[in-house]
Amino acid sequence: MSFSIIHTNQYLPFNEALTLAHAGDAPTEAWLVPLLTCSDEEAERLFHAADAAREAHMGNEVHLRGLIEFSNYCHKNCRYCGLRRANRGVERYRLDVETIISTAREAETLGYRTVVLQSGEDAWYTAERMAKIIRGIKDATDLAITLSVGERDMATYRCWREAGADRYLLRIETTDPGLFAALHPDDNLEERKACLYALRELEYELGTGVMVGQPGQTAEMLARDVIWMHELGAEMIGVGPFIPHPDTPLKATSGGTVEATLRLVAVLRLVFPHAHLPATTAMGSLHPLGRERALQAGANVMMPNVTPTEVRPRYQIYPGKICLSDDARHCKGCISARIHALGRSIATDHGRVKRVKGKG
Ligand code: SAM
Ligand code: SF4
Ligand code: FES
């Protein structure tokens, strides 16, 4: 655990906090903080409750989203990220329109029903060029498309939605104004929030999330992130540990832990019973069974890599990233075996978000 255990009158005892979480109470710091900072023994009960909620609301199927990392160019300088523009050590690449479409076709051949198109913030992919890719994939396949390409304006988000994009992932990273400003020299928290409001208005299936263990982050901040994501109406929430990259200004920081991230995954499952929660690659990169543990603490999604093997090693947002030398077929087999070993099955539908009135 990377957060200290805080006992003040402000916070409920663990048992009461878990009862409120179970009852579906609107999230407050009073019960979120004790769950996020609970002991290892208490955590077992928290994970068990989250796992039961996942089974009750989302079933035993795990949804697979094939991840295509199509460009590692980025004009931003987020202080934690290995792809930041100031990192001259990165050999940059861009996949062209046809390669991205053919990679998506391969993902469908492997049995995936969704592709996630992810990149740095790369203006080479103009609104029109990206729309061409989206239309190309929609014409050639029956895949759902998730975009994860950062901040753009409303007109661009609309153009891509009209071209057929179904979902969007844009992590808020943190809602704490001081921490956000310290880590994002190019960004403004209110503008990032406005992007998420715009995506919601355009009726994308809405994905966000945070990194756990950013330097200076506290359990109270994470609790407020959960409350904000609840107000937003997040439908997919990706959380992973921050892993310090040696070629970034944060290289000497300690980073996040699997244990702290698992507590957050479990809390999210209780607060958002119907959300899609991935067992993230960062979890698997920090611990060989990190993704499995997330799947047993509330998660119900995995994002196997389908990026062409030649360029995979160049998309190193953090060190120790798994699957860098594997090909898409190998990752499919690996992920399938891991899911089956847990007694779970692989979903065969598109895994769209469930929109349940008044529920997360
Ligand atoms: N450029 C887009 C964006 O920032 O939204 C999408 C790609 S970005 C590489 C995807 C996510 O990687 C970010 O939202 C961030 O949470 C995560 N990330 C970046 N650097 C990381 C690090 N050092 N450790 C763990 N996660 C990291
Ligand atoms: Fe670029 Fe995204 Fe990395 Fe920030 S997190 S530097 S926007 S790729
Ligand atoms: Fe890629 Fe296991 S998921 S090798």
Side-chain angles (χ1 to χ4, degrees):
M1 271 300 300
S2 58
F3 299 115
S4 54
I5 300 172
I6 307 147
H7 290 294
T8 72
N9 294 335
Q10 222 181 320
Y11 301 122
L12 294 170
F14 176 82
N15 284 342
E16 278 175 48
L18 189 58
T19 304
L20 287 183
H22 239 318
D25 251 44
T28 64
E29 280 183 64
W31 64 262
L32 291 169
V33 172
L35 297 185
L36 292 169
T37 56
C38 67
S39 69
D40 289 347
E41 233 176 11
E42 291 165 339
E44 288 310 316
R45 292 171 51 210
L46 173 64
F47 300 158
H48 187 74
D51 198 39
R54 184 271 308 153
E55 186 170 2
H57 296 284
M58 305 302 280
N60 276 322
E61 293 186 336
V62 176
H63 295 276
L64 300 184
R65 324 295 201 192
L67 177 65
I68 307 177
E69 298 155 333
F70 64 90
S71 163
N72 68 354
Y73 279 87
C74 190
H75 62 249
K76 286 197 173 163
N77 246 334
C78 306
R79 288 167 63 81
Y80 42 77
C81 180
L83 302 187
R84 63 201 305 272
R85 72 164 187 273
N87 186 2
R88 303 271 173 247
V90 181
E91 201 185 331
R92 306 281 171 173
Y93 71 89
R94 288 187 176 110
L95 302 186
D96 61 31
V97 173
E98 285 316 315
T99 306
I100 298 171
I101 296 171
S102 65
T103 306
R105 290 173 81 126
E106 264 176 61
E108 188 174 52
T109 309
L110 285 173
Y112 299 130
R113 307 302 309 275
T114 296
V115 280
V116 179
L117 305 182
Q118 191 183 84
S119 68
E121 294 211 6
D122 182 0
W124 187 82
Y125 297 90
T126 58
E128 193 35 52
R129 189 170 271 147
M130 218 43 228
K132 198 171 160 194
I133 294 165
I134 294 162
R135 281 193 297 269
I137 294 174
K138 284 288 177 180
D139 288 347
T141 72
D142 180 39
L143 290 164
I145 299 179
T146 305
L147 301 178
S148 173
V149 301
E151 296 182 30
R152 295 287 183 112
D153 61 21
M154 179 78 168
T156 304
Y157 286 151
R158 179 176 290 115
C159 165
W160 296 343
R161 184 84 182 100
E162 287 170 0
D166 303 274
R167 310 181 182 137
Y168 207 102
L169 302 178
L170 183 71
R171 287 188 180 176
I172 192 70
E173 314 294 1
T174 174
T175 57
D176 185 81
L179 184 58
F180 188 95
L183 297 176
H184 301 100
D186 318 275
D187 288 335
N188 170 299
L189 177 58
E190 292 312 311
E191 284 171 17
R192 198 159 181 94
K193 286 183 178 174
C195 285
L196 282 154
Y197 300 140
L199 293 163
R200 181 178 63 185
E201 197 179 319
L202 292 165
E203 298 187 1
Y204 279 91
E205 294 180 27
L206 191 61
T208 186
V210 300
M211 256 183 316
V212 177
Q214 302 172 50
Q217 187 183 47
T218 63
E220 288 79 358
M221 288 178 190
L222 274 182
R224 289 193 290 270
D225 294 342
V226 173
I227 294 166
W228 184 81
M229 292 192 287
H230 191 252
E231 285 163 6
L232 173 71
E235 298 174 306
M236 309 178 290
I237 307 173
V239 300
F242 159 57
I243 305 176
H245 190 292
D247 301 322
T248 64
L250 301 183
K251 62 182 173 201
T253 57
S254 51
T257 64
V258 167
E259 292 304 325
T261 310
L262 286 171
R263 284 162 173 75
L264 179 59
V265 170
V267 163
L268 289 169
R269 173 54 67 208
L270 295 171
V271 175
F272 298 84
H274 299 98
H276 284 300
L277 304 181
T280 53
T281 305
M283 289 290 271
S285 299
L286 265 199
H287 188 279
L289 295 178
R291 289 173 296 177
E292 282 86 338
R293 293 195 64 199
L295 286 177
Q296 293 174 300
N300 72 319
V301 171
M302 288 181 100
M303 296 170 65
N305 204 321
V306 296
T307 307
T309 319
E310 309 84 81
V311 295
R312 275 190 199 199
R314 298 192 232 162
Y315 200 88
Q316 284 220 50
I317 49 189
Y318 48 77
K321 189 163 168 258
I322 50 174
C323 308
L324 292 187
S325 58
D326 303 292
D327 67 9
R329 187 167 295 280
H330 180 83
C331 287
K332 173 71 196 305
C334 169
I335 289 256
S336 304
R338 286 167 187 265
I339 291 168
H340 293 138
L342 296 178
R344 306 268 282 274
S345 55
I346 297 173
T348 53
D349 63 347
H350 283 105
R352 299 201 181 279
V353 300
K354 283 191 187 178
R355 293 201 162 130
V356 183
K357 245 193 157 159
K359 294 264 180 177

